[in-house]
Amino acid sequence: RVGNQIISWGAADLINPTDHWNASDLSDPVRSSKYPLPLIRVQLTAPEIEDHRFEIIGTPFFRESRLPMDFPTNSGTLTSFGPGDSRWLIGMPSQIQTGGLLFPLRYQMAAKSYPATWQVGIRYQLLRVGAWDFAWTGFTGVEKTPRMYLAKRGDASDPALPIIVTLNPSFHRESLVGFDGGGAVADSNLSARFEGALVYPSNSRALSAGDGVSDSLMAEDRFHGVFGIDYTFETTLFGSVLYLNAMAVLDQEITKRRSAASLSESLEGLPSTSPWNRNLVALLEDRIGSNWKIRNTVIYSFVNRDAYYSPSVLVQWNDQMSGTLSADFFLGRRSGFFGQYNENSRIEFSITYEI
């Protein structure tokens, strides 16, 4: 198959450590959606080995994720921005403390730089091993969000003068090996799913950036894993099916290459940019007939001590029209990924009509 495609690798729900193909629209970080990517996809199987499936994907193209900020398109140009430009911008501080004094901060964004953009992946699936399916994955490509080097200029001897921080975004290559699987637990309403990946970011471009820059751009090897259970209750609250999905998420660095403190580490109050770090995720869904669903999603971070809660009601009026009433609540410490948005709680209603 050749053309724009969205790839869905992995066995877990919501978080897929082995799926690094498609970029996402992160301008709304909790309602993100994937962008299609032009690629060639080959799936191999045969009747005599139908329990074994091979998939090979390749593309010379790269598409980056959209962030809640605009980058300059021309090399050498700078664009000013501030935390107030988007409700989803990280709550970046407006002051920096140096020598016991507070200095005002201003922000600029430089143009992005890119590595070679080709991407290749392979996936092998072993199906129906008892009641379980397994898969192994390999991928090499480009990170979908940039790493940032923060450059500072300004006169720290005069508190009346602003210090200007320039964000220099650059994209880098990465590779991963992963595994996933899932299946039923004995003869019960319980099933389990797992997924994990060893991610190896390339630091060749960071090392060539020179002293004072390379350390800020260095990325660590890490393990990203998910383990989840699914349970269908024999009794219900309102509908015909009551379903629970619970997951534990770990994103753990396994190397330590960075040595010097970067400017970002000296900006007090800068929140975490990663939502997945020792999280507990729970989804409870009550299906009322074939047309209605009541869903509750909770994500809690044990590291950042913040949380996200989203109740929703979904209705399918007919084959073409559906509606959703939902809310997003951000709770906990402002230094966490979700807690930084604690002033962004909202209620939404949407109607979808498919032609």
Side-chain angles (χ1 to χ4, degrees), residues 12-18 20 179 193-199 221-228 246-254 274-281 299-304:
D13 277 338
L14 188 63
I15 309 112
N16 296 107
T18 64
H20 283 218
F179 61 95
R193 287 185 266 181
F194 61 88
E195 185 172 347
L198 290 169
V199 183
D221 299 345
R222 71 184 194 275
F223 173 77
H224 190 188
V226 180
F227 177 79
M247 296 182 292
V249 184
L250 174 67
D251 196 346
Q252 179 66 49
E253 292 183 347
I254 56 177
S274 174
W276 308 121
N277 190 354
R278 294 178 177 84
N279 299 85
L280 178 65
V281 183
I299 304 173
Y300 178 76
S301 170
F302 293 96
V303 172
N304 298 321

Side-chain angles (χ1 to χ4, degrees), residues 265-310:
E265 294 170 334
S266 68
L267 296 181
E268 297 182 4
L270 192 64
S272 166
T273 58
S274 174
W276 308 121
N277 190 354
R278 294 178 177 84
N279 299 85
L280 178 65
V281 183
L283 184 149
L284 182 65
E285 183 174 278
D286 195 10
R287 302 172 188 172
I288 305 173
S290 59
N291 296 332
W292 291 80
K293 293 180 182 179
I294 301 175
R295 182 179 296 169
N296 290 273
T297 303
V298 178
I299 304 173
Y300 178 76
S301 170
F302 293 96
V303 172
N304 298 321
R305 296 181 185 178
D306 61 338
Y308 165 72
Y309 171 54
S310 177

